[in-house]
Amino acid sequence: MSRSPPLPAEFEPDVLRRLYIDLADFSDDALKAHYEQWGRAEGRVASEAVYRERFLDLIVTDGPALEVGPYFNPLLRGGNVRYLDMYAAEALRQRALWEGHDAAGCPEEIHFVGGFEACPEDAFEVVFSSHAIEHQPDLVGHLKQVERVLQPGGRYMMIVPDSRYCFDRTLPLSRISEVIQAHEEKRQSHALATVIDHYMFSDHNDPVEHWRGNHSPSVRTGEECIRAARLASHSADGVYIDAHAWRFCPTSFREIVATLNETGLLNLTPLRIYDTPFGRFEFMAALQKCG
């Protein structure tokens, strides 16, 4: 059973009072009403856990922990941490050098290469990923794999891009129907539509400018994008294409996970889904495995 301590609430009135002088004299009820009507949309900070720096401090690795997709720079370290990645450690170091990165930060060992198949069941108190869940062709399948390796009460802690403030801005939020369809198909690679969307509708990736309403969608022609996307998709031959299969904001992510749980497709439930703060393009999320 997980020993992780309680997480900060998603809405903490004292945080708002401390950070915003115009709210210093508001009652708790007035703060909640203000936040629901204006504060969330303005990106006001209602919990210090909204920032990745603070969120990472909340991830306890005193017990067994698994980081998914550490790539060149693991965010969890320590003797109890294990790593799962598409590449073995030496391949990661070679890839880091090939892409012009410092390979010194790469993990010394990748304990599980490929997928979750080699991970033992009920093994980890915490599973963590950063900017990984949106890449999974089968979102439900991925979450069920995480569920399998978590201990009862264990947590899946995630840093998730908010599609409203990154290069996905022009595309709609993912729907539960699409999520279930991908799972029914047991999708192992991106649908052609996903690749076309990536090539055709990418915006810039400056979150501050997106928060300010300054967007600049791709100027490539539809014909050019579709041709390139079809070529990439048809020639991939099972090799992963780096694209976002899913687009979330905190509210939509909570609703999708909750619905999957309610329908019996998933034994994970939303524990904390923190709102995205102004100037950032990611939100912090914690799911918990039901006991």
Side-chain angles (χ1 to χ4, degrees), residues 143-218:
L143 291 173
K144 289 178 75 67
Q145 289 173 327
V146 172
E147 174 191 311
R148 184 184 69 80
V149 304
L150 274 175
Q151 298 175 6
R155 296 172 180 173
Y156 186 16
M157 308 283 279
M158 289 168 283
I159 302 176
V160 184
D162 188 324
S163 70
R164 300 171 297 176
Y165 309 112
C166 70
F167 58 76
D168 285 331
R169 186 201 66 86
T170 59
L171 293 165
L173 296 172
S174 296
R175 305 188 307 272
I176 186 66
S177 56
E178 298 170 312
V179 171
I180 294 174
Q181 178 71 37
H183 185 56
E184 289 287 323
E185 295 174 359
K186 296 181 172 54
R187 200 172 289 168
Q188 298 295 314
S189 57
H190 289 316
L192 176 58
T194 297
V195 186
I196 291 174
D197 283 345
H198 176 72
Y199 274 80
M200 197 167 182
F201 297 108
S202 290
D203 207 315
H204 70 72
N205 210 37
D206 185 333
V208 175
E209 290 304 304
H210 283 311
W211 273 97
R212 290 172 174 166
N214 300 322
H215 316 298
S216 59
S218 170

Side-chain angles (χ1 to χ4, degrees), residues 11 14 43 77 87 104 153 195 201 216-217 231 269 276 284 291:
F11 178 82
D14 287 341
R77 295 185 183 272
Y87 302 97
V195 186
F201 297 108
S216 59
L231 177 63
T269 187
T276 307
M284 311 298 123

Side-chain angles (χ1 to χ4, degrees), residues 133 158 248-258 273 283 285 287:
I133 193 168
M158 289 168 283
F248 308 111
C249 71
T251 300
S252 74
F253 186 67
R254 180 195 302 277
E255 291 173 351
I256 285 173
V257 174
I273 311 291
F283 62 91
L287 309 182

Side-chain angles (χ1 to χ4, degrees), residues 221-232:
T221 67
E223 180 185 1
E224 175 189 3
C225 292
I226 291 172
R227 185 186 303 114
R230 292 182 69 191
L231 177 63

Side-chain angles (χ1 to χ4, degrees), residues 259-281:
T259 302
L260 292 172
N261 178 269
E262 290 163 5
T263 56
L265 282 170
L266 198 63
N267 194 33
L268 298 173
T269 187
L271 178 63
R272 296 285 189 273
I273 311 291
Y274 296 102
D275 287 320
T276 307
F278 178 85
R280 301 290 180 104
F281 62 2

Side-chain angles (χ1 to χ4, degrees), residues 89-122:
E90 182 56 32
L92 265 183
R93 285 187 281 272
Q94 293 300 320
R95 189 171 181 85
L97 294 171
W98 181 71
E99 293 188 12
H101 298 280
D102 184 356
C106 291
E108 292 185 6
E109 179 181 1
I110 298 297
H111 305 85
F112 309 105
V113 178
F116 285 84
E117 293 79 10
C119 296
E121 187 172 351
D122 298 334

